[in-house]
Amino acid sequence: QMKCLREEIGVVFQGGALFDSQTVLENVMFPLNLFSDLSEQEKRNRAVFCLHRVDLKGAENLYPSEISGGMKNCQSNSFTT
């Protein structure tokens, strides 16, 4: 029951709270890896879709240190879309 609930909840951390050793795409895929039964390609497709929804097309392979503060906020918002 908790797993089902966690699949429906998104969390946004103030200040981005991104893993600096992971790319933007890997950061967005992180919760999918924990709580999803999707295939790797499905997770990747979903993460890319979410990044595009918050205008981060083309930022998938960048690291948090390579994106602006505004882009970090957009990425954090992509976790909940």
Side-chain angles (χ1 to χ4, degrees):
Q1 187 179 17
M2 286 298 289
K3 183 178 180 192
C4 290
L5 181 62
R6 287 180 180 140
E7 290 174 356
E8 299 299 321
I9 296 175
V11 177
V12 177
F13 295 97
Q14 187 170 348
L18 305 172
F19 295 109
D20 59 357
S21 61
Q22 293 184 353
T23 65
V24 168
L25 183 64
E26 291 167 336
N27 269 283
V28 175
M29 288 177 62
F30 182 76
L32 294 174
N33 290 329
L34 290 178
F35 303 112
S36 173
D37 294 327
L38 297 173
S39 71
E40 280 301 309
Q41 188 60 49
E42 290 170 320
K43 287 185 253 188
R44 183 185 232 353
N45 290 344
R46 177 66 182 166
V48 168
F49 170 77
C50 290
L51 289 169
H52 290 190
R53 284 190 63 189
V54 295
D55 295 325
L56 287 179
K57 185 176 184 177
E60 294 91 343
N61 295 315
L62 298 177
Y63 287 87
S65 63
E66 299 175 305
I67 61 177
S68 70
M71 291 174 79
K72 288 178 186 176
N73 288 337
C74 287
Q75 183 185 358
S76 294
N77 292 336
S78 73
F79 288 115
T80 62
T81 57

